[in-house]
């Protein structure tokens, strides 16, 4: 007796599954000639023998999982998944040792410099990492990639990204809009990194259900952050009190990464940076790893390295 079932494509772009002009769907249909398939928007209705439907649903989940992890699927991979002899291999695919994330469009995101690689190694061995270095050295980007990797591999349940709402010469009160409008520009670098690593539809879903939280540092007060990968970016702009508050939010099975540039502190002159003091207070705790990046880690335009060197030579 024929049965009918409806499957939803959630968290991925349906076009990635169906393919341009439904080329992927045609390939899938060829592998399941006895099933009747009707696709519309993000819905697939299948009708046929229960055994064929169960087999289809297993392949469907593997294909969706691959798109979620890598952001796309090509025709050759699709055909191998549909081949029973290859399906288990693709179901259990893990990121290789160097690759952190396969970003949008299949771009490979990995630690690119010796000190970025040290960051990755440090997080695998310690629950807290403090990465200090000048602009352009990939501190934030590497930290966000490690967080996305941990979430995709189910090592944590959520990602929390935070920054102090402090910038040079700016004042929140003078910016237009509501509180979110005022804060979003301060958090934009974190959004930019996430957009490189997670398909837009999936990212929107993660933010909506709070699997990924992006919030100013002040919003961390009073919380206990369990089973989370937590990143404090621009930590040099946290006061001593704010930094202590943040560090003591650490809960069970959490990873904390702090990134900052102690040469670009935007706090008022009478407010010392908590990050500078933390270097001295926390250096004797073995479970907290400090990594110092420098101009050799710059991954932006080659002029950034020269600019950093010029300022260093002036001091």
């Amino acid at each position: 007796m024929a049965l009918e079932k409806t499957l939803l494509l959630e968290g991925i772009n349906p076009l990635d599954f169906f393919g341009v002009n439904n080329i992927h769907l045609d390939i899938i249909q060829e592998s399941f000639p006895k099933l009747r398939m009707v696709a519309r928007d993000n819905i697939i209705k299948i009708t046929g023998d229960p055994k064929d439907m169960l087999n289809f649903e297993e392949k469907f989940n593997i294909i969706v999982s691959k798109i979620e992890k890598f952001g796309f699927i090509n025709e050759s991979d699709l055909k191998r998944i549909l081949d029973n002899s290859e399906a288990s291999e693709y179901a259990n695919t893990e990121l290789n040792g160097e690759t952190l994330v396969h970003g949008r469009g299949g771009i490979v995101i990995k630690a690119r410099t010796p000190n970025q690689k040290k960051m990755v190694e440090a997080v695998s061995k310690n629950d807290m990492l403090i990465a200090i270095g000048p602009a352009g050295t990939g501190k934030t980007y590497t930290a966000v990639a490690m967080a996305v990797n941990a979430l995709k591999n189910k090592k944590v349940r959520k990602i929390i990204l935070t920054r102090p709402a402090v910038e040079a010469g700016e004042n929140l009160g003078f910016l237009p809009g509501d509180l979110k409008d005022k804060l979003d520009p301060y958090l934009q670098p974190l959004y930019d990194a996430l957009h490189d690593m997670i398909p837009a539809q999936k990212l929107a879903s993660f933010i909506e259900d709070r699997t990924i939280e992006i919030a100013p540092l002040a919003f961390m007060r009073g919380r206990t952050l369990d089973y989370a990968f937590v990143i404090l970016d621009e930590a040099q702009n946290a006061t001593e009190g704010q930094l202590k508050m943040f560090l003591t939010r650490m809960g069970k099975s959490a990873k904390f990464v702090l990134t900052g540039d102690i040469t670009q502190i935007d706090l008022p002159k009478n407010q010392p940076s908590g990050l500078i003091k933390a270097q001295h207070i926390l250096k004797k705790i073995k479970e907290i790893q400090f990594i110092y990046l420098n101009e050799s880690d710059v991954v932006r335009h080659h002029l950034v390295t020269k600019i950093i060197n010029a300022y260093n030579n002036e001091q």
Side-chain angles (χ1 to χ4, degrees):
M1 185 179 72
L3 296 179
E4 181 178 284
K5 188 165 187 177
T6 299
L7 300 174
L8 294 177
L9 291 166
E10 297 181 300
I12 64 170
N13 186 341
L15 181 62
D16 292 329
F17 185 92
F18 296 134
V20 177
N21 296 323
N22 285 337
I23 184 65
H24 292 169
L25 192 61
D26 291 342
I27 293 171
I28 295 169
Q29 181 70 79
E30 288 175 10
S31 294
F32 293 92
K34 295 181 180 180
L35 288 181
R36 181 173 179 269
M37 300 181 196
V38 177
R40 179 176 293 177
D41 298 326
N42 68 330
I43 296 172
I44 301 177
K45 287 187 178 180
I46 54 172
T47 307
D49 179 79
K51 186 176 179 180
D52 289 336
M53 290 177 66
L54 181 62
N55 188 19
F56 173 85
E57 193 167 359
E58 288 176 356
K59 302 295 174 57
F60 172 88
N61 290 332
I62 294 170
I63 295 166
V64 170
S65 177
K66 183 172 175 63
I67 295 171
E68 285 180 335
K69 182 169 283 190
F70 301 116
F72 77 109
I73 190 168
N74 57 39
E75 291 177 30
S76 60
D77 284 345
L78 180 61
K79 290 175 181 177
R80 281 195 287 269
I81 290 171
L82 293 168
D83 177 351
N84 283 323
S85 64
E86 300 284 344
S88 61
E89 172 191 338
Y90 277 85
N92 296 316
T93 296
E94 291 290 339
L95 298 175
N96 66 47
E98 287 195 359
T99 300
L100 292 171
V101 181
H102 282 81
R104 297 174 69 185
I107 185 173
V108 174
I109 297 171
K110 60 183 179 180
R112 295 170 57 186
T113 72
N115 284 320
Q116 289 176 12
K117 291 176 181 177
K118 286 181 182 178
M119 287 178 63
V120 177
E121 292 169 6
V123 166
S124 68
K125 298 175 182 176
N126 302 276
D127 288 336
M128 186 174 292
L129 164 67
I130 300 176
I132 297 173
T137 51
K139 306 180 300 296
T140 301
Y141 203 79
T142 302
V144 173
M146 291 190 293
V148 173
N149 178 297
L151 182 66
K152 286 189 173 184
N153 287 292
K154 302 188 186 325
K155 295 176 182 176
V156 295
R157 296 176 186 169
K158 67 190 308 179
I159 295 172
I160 299 173
L161 308 175
T162 184
R163 288 179 124 199
V166 176
E167 297 293 340
E170 300 289 343
N171 187 308
L172 283 174
F174 292 103
L175 294 175
D178 60 18
L179 182 60
K180 185 180 185 302
D181 294 329
K182 293 174 187 287
L183 293 171
D184 274 355
Y186 293 85
L187 305 170
Q188 192 60 46
L190 301 174
Y191 284 108
D192 290 343
L194 287 170
H195 277 293
D196 279 357
M197 301 174 196
I198 302 175
Q201 199 170 4
K202 187 68 172 178
L203 178 57
S205 173
F206 278 153
I207 291 174
E208 184 177 355
D209 67 14
R210 298 180 70 81
T211 298
I212 296 178
E213 291 184 45
I214 307 174
L217 179 58
F219 286 28
M220 298 298 109
R221 189 172 298 279
R223 301 182 63 181
T224 300
L225 306 176
D226 296 325
Y227 306 102
F229 197 115
V230 188
I231 299 171
L232 172 57
D233 190 36
E234 298 287 345
Q236 78 278 2
N237 287 330
T239 65
E240 294 176 12
Q242 287 175 325
L243 200 65
K244 181 181 177 182
M245 176 274 291
F246 173 77
L247 294 172
T248 54
R249 300 306 92 203
M250 194 173 200
K252 293 179 291 186
S253 300
K255 293 279 188 182
F256 270 41
V257 176
L258 290 73
T259 66
D261 177 2
I262 56 176
T263 69
Q264 295 194 53
I265 297 170
D266 300 313
L267 290 166
K269 291 184 178 179
N270 63 342
Q271 287 268 30
S273 168
L275 184 59
I276 291 178
K277 189 169 184 179
Q279 292 180 91
H280 306 293
I281 294 175
L282 305 176
K283 65 182 179 182
K284 293 183 179 179
I285 301 177
K286 292 181 180 179
E287 293 89 346
I288 299 177
Q289 181 82 42
F290 282 85
I291 301 291
Y292 290 89
L293 297 94
N294 54 51
E295 59 274 8
S296 68
D297 297 295
V298 171
V299 291
R300 293 180 184 170
H301 194 285
H302 68 90
L303 277 176
V304 176
T305 301
K306 295 181 179 180
I307 291 167
I308 292 170
N309 285 331
Y311 274 95
N312 287 342
N313 292 335
E314 186 68 20
Q315 293 175 356

